[in-house]
């Protein structure tokens, strides 16, 4: 009884503190420091719930038949609910965001909310549709991407200089990196699923295997398991790593502005995957490959930023990152199970795509003044009497 009363008192105090701020305003209005911290602490909590739910979700779908109310979905929904509340607060009050950040958060949340029922309908019509690369799933990732990008923009523009600013910005980029890399986990779980089948110890429950086989119109055999576990071309995984994952790290390095920022972001994600791996294994959920090789690409990004000329940095960095990602993946495959490798020449496509993205990224970073030194200059000018 005392604990209930204590919670009520705390809730009342929180409401009394927040109510004065609940007024309609335009984006960019001056935000009290305490309110700014609370808003972005809320985003960190929301994204933490979403990441935990997502990590469990992909493993869950390689074991059990799909269920709309599965525990991972409910855990993810807690994060979504917090994110929706924060989105409404930003859109209505204008606190904590500039116009660009507000639009990114609003559009991202909107796309995500539209994608949820579309995904449910997709599963009703197409059955399992386990691939992470389906259109409705990509809408979920894209909506979350815009949402996190908006939060990064809001924090980048409004947070005071200091260690906290750097740490939170780095954490937000880890969340962004996790969201971008999420679909590639299908291949990372898929290769373990095939290996488990070959050992005669399938990780998936019989009801899931039979459902997938019925959907494909064939018996439960190895070919069915391969189609279930690796439904996209082998080239997708390494090319996605070389181009899409690396460009996120380029923006992380430029906006955080610390020497090994990209490596820290990638290593933090790898550390999380490494820690969650035994927890899922102990709970008897399927295992996955952990993309340790991505750290090589991150290191290439950090070293490329020693080059001061943006265009040259993009060209040299793209070449170095593509080569290191490819070679590190091959080295990792010698010691651990990884998704299928592709011929080195195939990586030329990834290198070309990364070059185009990096050159465009350098332009965007300059055009929108998103480099760490740009914000430091603004802070210094503001502090000068």
């Amino acid at each position: 009884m005392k604990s209930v009363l204590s919670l009520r008192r705390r809730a009342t105090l929180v409401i009394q503190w927040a109510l004065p701020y609940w007024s309609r305003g335009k984006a960019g209005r001056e935000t009290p420091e305490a309110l700014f911290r609370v808003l972005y602490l809320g985003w960190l909590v929301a994204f933490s719930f979403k990441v935990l739910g997502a990590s469990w979700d992909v493993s869950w779908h390689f074991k059990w038949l799909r269920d709309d109310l599965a525990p991972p979905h409910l855990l993810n929904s807690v994060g979504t609910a917090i994110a929706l509340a924060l989105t409404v607060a930003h859109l209505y009050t204008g606190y904590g965001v500039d116009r660009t950040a507000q639009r990114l958060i609003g559009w991202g949340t909107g796309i995500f909310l539209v994608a949820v029922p579309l995904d449910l309908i997709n599963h009703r019509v197409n059955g399992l549709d386990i691939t992470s690369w389906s259109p409705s799933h990509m809408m979920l990732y894209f909506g979350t991407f815009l949402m996190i990008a908006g939060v990064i923009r809001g924090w980048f523009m409004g947070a005071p200089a200091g260690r906290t600013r750097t740490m939170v910005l780095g954490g937000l980029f880890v969340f962004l990196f996790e969201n971008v890399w999420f679909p590639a986990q299908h291949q990372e779980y898929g290769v373990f699923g095939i290996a488990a089948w070959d050992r005669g110890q399938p990780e998936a429950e019989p009801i899931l295997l039979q459902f997938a086989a019925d959907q494909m119109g064939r018996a439960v055999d190895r070919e069915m398991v391969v189609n279930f576990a690796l439904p996209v071309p082998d080239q997708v995984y390494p090319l996605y790593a070389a181009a899409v994952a690396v460009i996120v790290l380029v923006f992380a390095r430029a906006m955080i502005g610390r020497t090994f920022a990209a490596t820290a972001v990638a290593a933090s994600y790898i550390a999380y995957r490494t820690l969650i791996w035994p927890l899922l294994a102990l709970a008897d959920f399927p295992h996955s490959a952990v993309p340790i090789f991505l750290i090589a690409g991150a290191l290439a990004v950090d070293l490329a930023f020693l080059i001061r000329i943006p265009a040259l940095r993009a060209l040299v960095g793209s070449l170095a990152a593509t080569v290191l990602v490819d070679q590190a993946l091959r080295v990792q495959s010698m010691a651990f199970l990884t998704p299928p490798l592709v011929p080195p020449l195939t990586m030329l496509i990834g290198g070309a795509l990364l070059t185009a993205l990096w050159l465009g990224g350098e332009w965007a970073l300059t055009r929108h003044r998103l480099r760490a030194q740009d914000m430091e200059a603004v802070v210094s000018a503001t502090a000068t009497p």
Side-chain angles (χ1 to χ4, degrees), residues 6 13 48 123 144 173 222 242 248 266 284 297 312 323 338 342 350:
S6 177
L13 290 173
S48 295
H123 285 291
T144 304
F173 267 107
R222 191 180 192 280
V248 174
D284 197 29
L312 181 60
V323 171
T338 65
V342 297

Side-chain angles (χ1 to χ4, degrees), residues 72-133:
H73 290 173
L74 298 179
L75 188 61
N76 193 288
S77 295
V78 173
T80 300
I82 297 172
L84 178 58
L86 291 167
T87 299
V88 171
H90 286 306
L91 293 178
Y92 183 77
T93 68
Y95 281 128
V97 288
D98 64 1
R99 186 61 178 156
T100 301
Q102 187 186 60
R103 285 175 176 172
L104 286 169
I105 293 172
W107 274 102
T109 304
I111 291 171
F112 183 91
L113 293 177
V114 169
V116 170
L118 289 180
D119 187 52
L120 296 176
I121 293 170
N122 179 43
H123 285 291
R124 292 289 184 273
V125 174
N126 298 316
L128 209 59
D129 185 30
I130 191 173
T131 176
S132 297
W133 303 92

Side-chain angles (χ1 to χ4, degrees), residues 161-291:
R163 183 179 178 83
T164 299
R165 171 189 171 84
T166 301
M167 295 296 291
V168 172
L169 189 58
L172 291 172
F173 267 107
V174 174
F175 287 128
L176 185 68
F177 189 79
E178 187 277 338
N179 175 72
V180 168
W181 187 251
F182 184 84
Q185 290 185 69
H186 191 121
Q187 288 93 312
E188 292 170 350
Y189 275 91
V191 292
F192 269 77
I194 295 171
W197 173 270
D198 291 340
R199 291 194 309 270
Q201 300 173 324
E203 294 178 322
E205 292 295 310
I207 188 174
L208 175 57
L209 292 172
Q210 189 59 58
F211 188 95
D214 292 342
Q215 186 172 322
M216 296 179 196
R218 60 177 303 115
V220 179
D221 55 16
R222 191 180 192 280
E223 185 176 348
M224 185 282 297
V225 172
V226 171
N227 290 334
F228 171 85
L230 297 177
V232 296
D234 293 345
Q235 294 86 346
V236 170
Y237 185 80
L239 294 181
Y240 192 76
V244 182
V246 171
I247 194 62
V248 174
L249 297 173
V250 170
F251 273 83
R253 172 60 182 82
M255 294 181 71
I256 297 172
R258 296 295 183 266
T259 303
F260 289 102
T263 303
V265 167
S268 297
Y269 173 71
I270 300 304
Y272 167 73
R273 288 286 303 277
T274 303
L275 290 173
I276 204 73
W277 199 97
L279 294 177
L280 292 170
L282 287 172
D284 197 29
F285 279 97
H287 307 160
S288 71
V290 177

Side-chain angles (χ1 to χ4, degrees), residues 8-173:
R8 286 181 178 176
R9 290 195 194 99
R10 290 180 182 179
T12 300
L13 290 173
V14 170
I15 292 172
Q16 290 175 345
W17 175 82
L19 274 178
Y21 297 120
W22 190 252
S23 60
R24 190 166 185 82
K26 294 182 179 180
R29 68 191 294 192
E30 186 175 351
T31 306
E33 186 176 343
L35 177 60
F36 188 85
R37 286 200 303 266
V38 168
L39 288 170
Y40 283 89
L41 175 61
W43 279 115
L44 291 174
V45 172
F47 293 145
S48 295
F49 272 109
K50 288 179 71 64
V51 166
L52 288 171
S55 299
W56 191 8
D57 184 58
V58 65
S59 184
W60 180 282
H61 287 310
F62 271 89
K63 183 176 179 67
W64 298 104
L65 195 60
R66 189 184 184 280
D67 181 359
D68 293 342
L69 298 178
H73 290 173
L74 298 179
L75 188 61
N76 193 288
S77 295
V78 173
T80 300
I82 297 172
L84 178 58
L86 291 167
T87 299
V88 171
H90 286 306
L91 293 178
Y92 183 77
T93 68
Y95 281 128
V97 288
D98 64 1
R99 186 61 178 156
T100 301
Q102 187 186 60
R103 285 175 176 172
L104 286 169
I105 293 172
W107 274 102
T109 304
I111 291 171
F112 183 91
L113 293 177
V114 169
V116 170
L118 289 180
D119 187 52
L120 296 176
I121 293 170
N122 179 43
H123 285 291
R124 292 289 184 273
V125 174
N126 298 316
L128 209 59
D129 185 30
I130 191 173
T131 176
S132 297
W133 303 92
S134 69
S136 59
H137 291 161
M138 296 305 290
M139 280 187 67
L140 293 170
Y141 311 144
F142 183 62
T144 304
F145 175 86
L146 293 180
M147 191 192 306
I148 302 175
V151 175
I152 288 175
R153 164 83 183 193
W155 178 262
F156 180 81
M157 298 299 293
R163 183 179 178 83
T164 299
R165 171 189 171 84
T166 301
M167 295 296 291
V168 172
L169 189 58
L172 291 172
F173 267 107

